[in-house]
DNA sequence: ACGATACCAGACAGATCTGTCTAGTATCGA
DNA sequence: TCGATACTAGACAGATCTGTCTGGTATCGT
């Protein structure tokens, strides 16, 4: 609702994603967002608070994007995987924000890491549910695999490796 | 040969891998390595120089480990993939050092990123050669896939996701 | 009209970062 | 024995980091 907070969050999202979390300082964020420092600390109690807000927003965005994929069962599953591959191969893609954040926060006890686990758990459940709906045998094992291939696709996409992205997508589609 | 340099490099390897590159400062490295600051800058011209030395060392280690895997063709390929999965599931594993470094250096033009590309290229070639030796059809596409699964296995292992590691290994073995 | 809230500019503290420099000791090959 | 090399301790510069604080203006609901 408040414009200054929104400006901070969208600026932080852009900078954190493009350049990494540790390399982008608060001063940089507030300068790019044209916001006073006191205003920033009025809305966020610390930098980590901003990082968590950034990831929570991304989490919501992902859920929105993937829940908008049409179809049911196998059709929707295939469309979902294709969507992810397309996004990962697109311009400006710099890897999965959650995997990137996990690398920058090596301690698994960190709130950031818990959010990453939550995100991956959500994706695994989504895969499991769609596999179950399609009455696929071994839904649990297949969901684990699709999660791993998703991770691999986002890594490959982030590194500009289009061949691996396509290989991953083909295998994911063949597995379901 | 020089003990101080070795101490710096092994300390940096331990700290960079466990805690990340940007979060570990030079002061921390030289303190843990019990080395004077002037000595550090005598052997390394900058922190980035140390980072590159760290990654180059890891690169060499990986080549040593995987070239020591016994067997030929399919047998060796399967043993190699199993070895990677075992290492990724082991204690103290915190993800692939190269993928971690790539996340911390988003600019693809960076020397660090070029080394990461070189590492992944080497692994892809290794897969391709073993597939070709085993007279597998579609070696190029399979090599792309095995590289992507390798990436996924190291990610899953770094996050403590044993189920995904096993799912990835099964699929990799089934694909060859 | 008034109180709370949102916002501004910018100084400031205290820590930490990379990298340089001074000044000196120890070792070792030629 | 001499000169190069490896090494020590630690001060220092200059930048940058997070977070606090002062002191104010503007907006808005009641």
């Amino acid at each position: 609702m408040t414009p200054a907070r929104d400006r901070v969050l969208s600026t932080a999202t852009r900078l954190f994603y493009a350049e990494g979390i540790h390399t982008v300082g608060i001063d940089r964020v507030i300068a790019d967002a044209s916001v006073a420092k006191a205003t920033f600390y009025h809305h966020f109690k610390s930098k980590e608070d901003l990082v968590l807000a950034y990831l929570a927003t991304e989490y919501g965005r992902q859920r929105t994007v993937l829940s908008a994929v049409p179809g049911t069962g196998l059709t929707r599953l295939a469309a979902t995987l294709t969507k992810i591959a397309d996004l990962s191969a697109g311009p400006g893609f710099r890897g999965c924000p959650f995997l990137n954040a996990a690398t920058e926060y090596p301690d698994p006890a960190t709130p950031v890491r818990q959010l990453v686990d939550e995100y991956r758990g959500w994706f695994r459940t989504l895969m499991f549910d769609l596999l179950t709906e399609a009455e696929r045998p071994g839904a649990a094992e297949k969901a684990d695999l699709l999660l791993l291939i998703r991770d691999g696709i986002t890594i490959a996409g982030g590194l500009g490796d289009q061949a691996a992205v396509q290989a991953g997508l083909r295998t994911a589609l063949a597995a379901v």
Side-chain angles (χ1 to χ4, degrees), chain A:
Chain A
M1 213 56 192
T2 66
R5 189 184 195 276
D6 286 356
R7 239 153 51 222
V8 166
L9 194 49
S10 64
T11 302
T13 297
R14 178 170 48 83
L15 294 178
F16 286 164
Y17 183 63
E19 304 182 25
I21 295 170
H22 291 324
T23 53
V24 173
I26 289 297
D27 285 346
R28 177 88 182 289
V29 173
I30 68 172
D32 275 38
S34 299
V35 154
K37 202 163 199 179
T39 303
F40 168 75
Y41 279 102
H42 174 71
H43 288 293
F44 303 93
K45 80 176 221 289
S46 64
K47 182 183 178 180
E48 181 168 323
D49 206 40
L50 174 62
V51 172
L52 289 170
Y54 151 58
L55 290 176
T57 304
E58 284 301 303
Y59 188 11
R61 224 190 299 268
Q62 288 257 351
R63 277 180 297 191
T64 302
V65 167
L66 293 194
S67 72
V69 172
T72 56
L74 271 201
T75 309
R76 185 165 165 226
L77 189 48
T80 301
L81 295 167
T82 305
K83 177 93 191 168
I84 288 168
D86 286 350
L87 290 173
S88 300
F93 188 80
R94 291 244 178 334
C96 169
F98 300 95
L99 297 187
N100 290 350
T103 300
E104 296 209 63
Y105 290 80
D107 182 357
T110 297
V112 167
R113 282 291 294 274
Q114 288 168 3
L115 227 164
V116 173
D117 288 344
E118 193 182 327
Y119 170 80
R120 284 179 90 251
W122 163 76
F123 186 86
R124 193 196 316 254
T125 302
L126 175 65
M127 294 297 103
F128 179 82
D129 289 347
L130 289 174
L131 287 162
T132 305
E133 185 188 337
E135 293 177 354
R136 249 43 216 166
E141 292 77 14
K142 281 200 174 73
D144 286 330
L145 176 65
L146 291 178
L147 174 56
L148 179 131
I149 292 182
R150 185 217 76 99
D151 290 343
I153 284 176
T154 63
I155 292 291
L159 295 175
D161 185 346
Q162 307 295 343
V165 170
Q166 292 311 313
L169 176 58
R170 275 196 307 270
T171 303
L173 292 177
V176 300

